[in-house]
Amino acid sequence: MTLAYLNGEFKPLAEASVNVLDRGFTFGDGVYEVMPVFNRMIFRFDEHVRRLENSLQAIYMTNPYAAEQWLSILQKLVSSVEQTEQSIYLQITRGVTDRDHAISLAKNPTIFAMSRAVEKKNFAAGINAITHEDIRWQYCAIKAITLLPSVLLRHKAKEQGASEAILIRDTYVTEGAASNVFICKDNKILTPPKNNHVLPGITRDLLIEILDKHNIAYAEMPVSEAALLAADEVWLTSSTWEIVPVVQLDNKPVGSGKPGPVWHTANLLYQKFKRSYCC
Ligand code: PDD
C-alpha cells in the first residue's frame, strides 16, 4: 500500500489530510522538493536535502530533520511502492495558524512526503516549447510551493501545443517553467548562471559535473533571447524529465528540428552516470 508521511506518522496516502488553516493552503507558505528514484535508490539525495535546507533558511524556517532521518523516512515511502522507478514529493509548510500574515504565529511546521510510481518517459523525439516573459517573482532560487505563475505558464505552453515555456526576463533566458535551460551553438554549450531568477537545478548541476568530467566545453553565462532563438540545440533539464531536447520553439524548428548530436552525447553520459550510481 502506498504510504504517505505526515507529521511523524506513516499512513495510506488516501488517508493523509491537513487542516484548512495550514499556511500552505491559505498563503502558499512553504517549500518543496522533488527527488527522482531509480531502481529504488534516491538519486542525488544529499544535493536535494542541501537545497531543501537552503529553501527553508530563505523563508526563515529550519530543517526539521537531519539528513539521516530524511533518508530513513523517504526509504520507507519508496519501499511502500511496488514499482522501482518513482518520484518523491516532499513539502514543508509553516504549519497551522490563524489567517494572519505574521510568521511569528507559526510554531509547528507541517511535514509531508510521498513517493509515486513514474511512467518510463521517452523524450528521444524531443518536445515543443514556447518562449514567454518570465512573470514570476524575484526569489526563484527558493523552491517555493507558491507555483501559480508556473502553472499558468505551463498552461499557456499547452494551449500552443507545447510542453514547456522558456522564460525571458529583460531579453535574457532565465529557465523553463519547471526546468533549467541549456543551449548549444557551434558545439559550445551554454546555460544561464544561477541567481535569484533561476532555481539551482540538481539535474543542471549534475549535467555540468558530467560535462566537466568528460572535458566537454561549457559555460555558465547569460543567454540572450536572440542566442536561444539562433541555437543549434536547446535542452531542458529536471529531475522528472532528465535531459530533454527541444525540437520546436515558438513553432519553428530548433536546428535540424531533430534532437541534436551534442544532446545525444550528453544524454548518453548522463544515463551512464545514472546506471553506475543506481544499478
Ligand atoms: N521542478 N527550475 C524550476 C522552476 C523547476 O521547478 C525545476 C524542477 C527545475 C529543475 O530542477 P531539478 O533538476 O532539481 O529537478 C528548474 C520540479 C521537477 C517540479 O516542480 O515538479
Side-chain angles (χ1 to χ4, degrees):
M1 180 203 330
T2 301
L3 292 178
Y5 176 86
L6 183 61
N7 297 330
E9 285 180 54
F10 291 93
K11 49 179 81 179
L13 184 57
E15 287 171 26
S17 59
V18 294
N19 191 314
V20 290
L21 286 178
D22 192 279
R23 295 176 70 96
F25 188 59
T26 52
F27 290 115
D29 185 355
V31 297
Y32 75 106
E33 273 299 325
V34 175
M35 306 184 191
V37 176
F38 303 120
N39 202 19
R40 293 198 181 281
M41 295 178 72
I42 306 171
F43 194 50
R44 306 298 272 185
F45 170 78
D46 292 345
E47 288 79 0
H48 280 279
V49 170
R50 214 170 299 136
R51 185 173 64 185
L52 174 68
E53 203 132 345
N54 291 339
S55 295
L56 285 165
Q57 196 180 23
I59 68 163
Y60 309 98
M61 290 183 74
T62 49
N63 191 349
Y65 302 135
E68 311 82 71
Q69 288 171 297
W70 274 121
L71 191 59
S72 97
I73 292 166
L74 299 179
Q75 277 174 338
K76 184 158 173 175
L77 296 177
V78 169
S79 306
S80 77
V81 178
E82 200 183 311
Q83 293 85 342
T84 55
E85 311 297 288
Q86 303 174 25
S87 179
I88 291 169
Y89 176 79
L90 80 80
Q91 168 174 319
I92 303 175
T93 75
R94 212 179 299 277
V96 177
T97 69
D98 269 348
R99 195 192 169 282
D100 181 320
H101 288 65
I103 64 175
S104 56
L105 297 172
K107 302 291 178 234
N108 297 306
T110 299
I111 306 159
F112 169 67
M114 64 180 174
S115 190
R116 314 295 305 274
V118 289
E119 303 229 333
K120 257 227 160 330
K121 321 157 269 282
N122 188 356
F123 288 118
I127 63 162
N128 296 352
I130 60 165
T131 53
H132 196 287
E133 182 193 347
D134 192 341
I135 56 171
R136 305 168 306 157
W137 65 340
Q138 302 282 343
Y139 293 90
C140 298
I142 303 173
K143 204 157 171 57
I145 60 172
T146 331
L147 287 175
L148 186 55
S150 314
V151 168
L152 296 180
L153 287 161
R154 274 277 171 100
H155 182 67
K156 280 170 190 288
K158 191 163 178 226
E159 278 180 331
Q160 295 177 51
S163 306
E164 181 62 307
I166 297 181
L167 308 179
I168 311 292
R169 200 183 280 252
D170 300 330
T171 76
Y172 282 89
V173 176
T174 53
E175 58 181 335
S179 57
N180 292 109
V181 178
F182 286 75
I183 70 163
C184 185
K185 180 75 181 171
D186 300 330
N187 288 318
K188 273 196 224 101
I189 301 170
L190 303 179
T191 191
K194 293 190 279 191
N195 58 33
N196 62 315
H197 295 140
V198 175
L199 183 82
I202 307 298
T203 320
R204 170 200 183 278
D205 286 356
L206 173 57
L207 178 55
I208 283 178
E209 212 178 289
I210 291 171
L211 295 173
D212 223 27
K213 202 172 123 200
H214 290 86
N215 296 316
I216 298 175
Y218 70 90
E220 293 179 82
M221 57 180 273
V223 173
S224 68
E225 181 177 11
L228 171 76
L229 297 176
D232 300 328
E233 300 187 26
V234 175
W235 322 328
L236 302 174
T237 61
S238 80
S239 294
T240 36
W241 281 359
E242 304 189 326
I243 313 171
V244 177
V246 176
V247 291
Q248 232 186 66
L249 188 56
D250 292 336
N251 286 318
K252 293 190 196 80
V254 175
S256 66
K258 294 204 175 80
V262 189
W263 170 78
H264 274 289
T265 303
N267 191 47
L268 220 71
L269 293 172
Y270 180 88
Q271 296 301 332
K272 200 168 145 203
F273 178 90
K274 201 177 94 180
R275 275 196 304 277
S276 72
Y277 182 91
C278 293
C279 302

